[in-house]
C-alpha cells in the first residue's frame, strides 16, 4: 500500500539519510520533504543529487516538498530585496522538486493575514499585495518545471483569503494543502472549508490532535473524524497516495529525558504510524470505490 510521510518527523535539519532509511524500513513508499521547511537554507546541486541517490537506494518516491516561506528570504516581505530573495528560495525548491521527480506539489505557508483576515478588496494589507507580486513572478517558473504550489491552511483558517488568492491563478499551478491538525483545532471548521475547496486540493498534511494543540500526532490518537475526512478527499481533485505529516515528539515513543532517541523507539513509532495511516487509507479506498473512481494510488 502506497503511503507518504514527512522526513522531519523527529528532526528537520542535518543529514537526513538515517530517517529516510527508517521510513523505508517501516513500509512507507513516498515522502513529503520537510527538512529545512522553515529556514533560509538553499539546496545546492550536489546536495539535491545526493538526496536523489538516497531516495533511489531506499526505494522512496518524492511526493511533495514543504517549500520554505523563509525567515529573512520572505516571499511576502514588505522589503523588496527580501521579497525577491524569498522568490529565489522558493524557486530553489521548485527546481529541487523537478530534479527529484516530485509527483505532488510544493506546500507554502502564506502571510499571517491569510489565516484570519476577512478579505476586503478596498483594504488589502501590504503583505498580501507582496504575496501576489511574488506569485506572479513564480508562475512562469511553475509552468517551466510543470510544478504546482499549494497554500496550507493554518489554525482558525476559514479559507476566505486562500480562496481569494488562489482564484487569481490557474488550478494547475496553484491550489491548497490541507493540514487536518490545523483544521481540527481552534474553530475547528476545517472539513467544511475543505469541502468547498476540494477542486483545489493538491497536497495533504494528515495528522491528529485533541482539538486544543497542534501536535501532529498519528491518526486515531486525537479527535479528527478520519472517516468523514477520507470521504471528502475521495471526492476531491486529489489523486496521489495519502500523505501524513507526523511528529514523534508528542507520541508515547518519545523520551523527553534524553537527547538522542533510540533507533528502536523510532522504529516502533514508524511501525505504529504505518499501521494507523493504512487504516485511513482503507477509508479512502472505500469511498473511492463507492464513487466509482477508485485509482491505484492506495492499492497493494
Amino acid at each position: 500500500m502506497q503511503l507518504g510521510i514527512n522526513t522531519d518527523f523527529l528532526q528537520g535539519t542535518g543529514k537526513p539519510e538515517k530517517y529516510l532509511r527508517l521510513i523505508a524500513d517501516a513500509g512507507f513508499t513516498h515522502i513529503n520533504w520537510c527538512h529545512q521547511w522553515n529556514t533560509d537554507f538553499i539546496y545546492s546541486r550536489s546536495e539535491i543529487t545526493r538526496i536523489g541517490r538516497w531516495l533511489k537506494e531506499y526505494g522512496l518516491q518524492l511526493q511533495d516538498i514543504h517549500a520554505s516561506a523563509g525567515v529573512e528570504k520572505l516571499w511576502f516581505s514588505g522589503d523588496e530585496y527580501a521579497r525577491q530573495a524569498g522568490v529565489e528560495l522558493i524557486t530553489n525548491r521548485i527546481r529541487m522538486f523537478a530534479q527529484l521527480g516530485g509527483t505532488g506539489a510544493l506546500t507554502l505557508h502564506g502571510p499571517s493575514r491569510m489565516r484570519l483576515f476577512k478579505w476586503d478588496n478596498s483594504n488589502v494589507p501590504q503583505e498580501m499585495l507582496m504575496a501576489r507580486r511574488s506569485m506572479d513572478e513564480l508562475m512562469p517558473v511553475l509552468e517551466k518545471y510543470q510544478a504546482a504550489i499549494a497554500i496550507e491552511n493554518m489554525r482558525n483558517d476559514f479559507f476566505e483569503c486562500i480562496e481569494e488568492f488562489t482564484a487569481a491563478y490557474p488550478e494547475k499551478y496553484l491550489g491548497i494543502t490541507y493540514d487536518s491538525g490545523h483544521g481540527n483545532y481552534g474553530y475547528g471548521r476545517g472539513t467544511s472549508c475543505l469541502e468547498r475547496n476540494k477542486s483545489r486540493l493538491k497536497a495533504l498534511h494528515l495528522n491528529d490532535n485533541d482539538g486544543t494543540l497542534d501536535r501532529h500526532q498519528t491518526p486515531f490518537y486525537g479527535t479528527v473524524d478520519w472517516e468523514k475526512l477520507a470521504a471528502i478527499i475521495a471526492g476531491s481533485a486529489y489523486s496521489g497516495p495519502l500523505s501524513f505529516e507526523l511528529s514523534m515528539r508528542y507520541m508515547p515513543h518519545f523520551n523527553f529525558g534524553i537527547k538522542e532517541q533510540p533507533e528502536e523507539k523510532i522504529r516502533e513509532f514508524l511501525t505504529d504510524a504505518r499501521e494507523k495511516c493504512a487504516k485511513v487509507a482503507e477509508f479512502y479506498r472505500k469511498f473511492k470505490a463507492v464513487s466509482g473512481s477508485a485509482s491505484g494510488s492506495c492499492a497493494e
Side-chain angles (χ1 to χ4, degrees), residues 47 52 66 83 118 135 183 189 257 261 269 293:
E47 288 168 321
H66 197 320
R83 186 197 66 78
K118 183 70 175 178
M135 197 58 64
R189 288 180 50 194
Q261 299 299 308
F269 162 75
S293 57

Side-chain angles (χ1 to χ4, degrees), residues 114-115 152-160 162 193:
M114 195 175 281
R115 304 172 193 175
E152 182 176 358
N153 65 302
M154 303 301 289
R155 181 186 182 189
N156 294 332
D157 204 329
F158 290 164
F159 285 54
E160 285 94 339
I162 292 178
C193 294

Side-chain angles (χ1 to χ4, degrees), residues 179-247:
D179 187 304
S180 59
H182 295 167
N184 190 56
Y185 80 129
Y187 298 134
R189 288 180 50 194
T191 51
S192 62
C193 294
L194 175 62
E195 177 68 43
R196 69 173 189 260
N197 288 278
K198 58 187 179 182
S199 69
R200 287 273 185 173
L201 184 60
K202 293 190 177 296
L204 297 169
H205 286 181
L206 300 178
N207 59 89
D208 215 336
N209 60 52
D210 65 359
T212 64
L213 291 172
D214 186 23
R215 295 187 180 276
H216 284 262
Q217 292 174 305
T218 298
F220 308 106
Y221 278 85
T223 59
V224 169
D225 186 336
W226 288 104
E227 195 160 7
K228 178 180 179 181
L229 179 55
I232 296 173
I233 297 171
S236 75
Y238 187 80
S239 60
L242 298 189
S243 184
F244 296 79
E245 190 186 50
L246 309 178
S247 172

Side-chain angles (χ1 to χ4, degrees), residues 15-238:
K15 189 176 181 180
E17 181 185 11
K18 172 183 177 180
Y19 304 106
L20 296 175
R21 171 174 55 82
L22 294 174
I23 285 170
D25 287 349
F28 289 94
T29 56
H30 290 65
I31 60 164
N32 173 16
W33 188 269
C34 287
H35 271 61
Q36 307 289 352
W37 73 268
N38 58 348
T39 73
D40 288 333
F41 190 88
I42 297 288
Y43 280 98
S44 69
R45 188 181 302 273
S46 64
E47 288 168 321
I48 296 172
T49 298
R50 190 65 184 91
I51 291 168
R53 290 174 182 166
W54 282 326
L55 296 183
K56 184 176 181 180
E57 178 180 354
Y58 298 121
L60 294 169
Q61 170 65 51
L62 175 68
Q63 186 170 1
D64 306 314
I65 290 181
H66 197 320
S68 180
V71 180
E72 296 180 30
K73 298 176 174 64
L74 186 62
W75 69 288
F76 48 83
S77 174
D79 293 320
E80 182 60 14
Y81 81 93
R83 186 197 66 78
Q84 291 180 9
V87 171
E88 292 174 11
L89 178 62
I90 296 169
T91 298
N92 173 259
R93 298 300 197 270
I94 295 172
R95 291 171 177 159
M96 177 180 178
F97 178 85
Q99 185 173 334
L100 295 176
T103 60
L106 295 105
T107 294
L108 266 184
H109 287 180
S112 59
R113 290 294 187 94
M114 195 175 281
R115 304 172 193 175
L116 292 173
F117 176 69
K118 183 70 175 178
W119 192 270
D120 177 1
N121 282 317
S122 66
N123 184 29
V124 181
Q126 183 187 33
E127 61 183 5
M128 297 298 291
L129 295 174
M130 295 301 100
R132 182 71 68 87
R133 180 182 298 178
S134 294
M135 197 58 64
D136 289 344
E137 294 175 9
L138 286 165
M139 277 295 131
V141 183
L142 293 170
E143 184 175 5
K144 175 182 177 180
Y145 290 100
Q146 288 299 289
I149 283 174
I151 305 296
E152 182 176 358
N153 65 302
M154 303 301 289
R155 181 186 182 189
N156 294 332
D157 204 329
F158 290 164
F159 285 54
E160 285 94 339
C161 290
I162 292 178
E163 290 165 350
E164 181 71 22
F165 189 80
T166 57
Y169 301 94
E171 284 189 2
K172 181 177 181 180
Y173 300 118
L174 186 62
I176 65 170
T177 294
Y178 184 70
D179 187 304
S180 59
H182 295 167
N184 190 56
Y185 80 129
Y187 298 134
R189 288 180 50 194
T191 51
S192 62
C193 294
L194 175 62
E195 177 68 43
R196 69 173 189 260
N197 288 278
K198 58 187 179 182
S199 69
R200 287 273 185 173
L201 184 60
K202 293 190 177 296
L204 297 169
H205 286 181
L206 300 178
N207 59 89
D208 215 336
N209 60 52
D210 65 359
T212 64
L213 291 172
D214 186 23
R215 295 187 180 276
H216 284 262
Q217 292 174 305
T218 298
F220 308 106
Y221 278 85
T223 59
V224 169
D225 186 336
W226 288 104
E227 195 160 7
K228 178 180 179 181
L229 179 55
I232 296 173
I233 297 171
S236 75
Y238 187 80

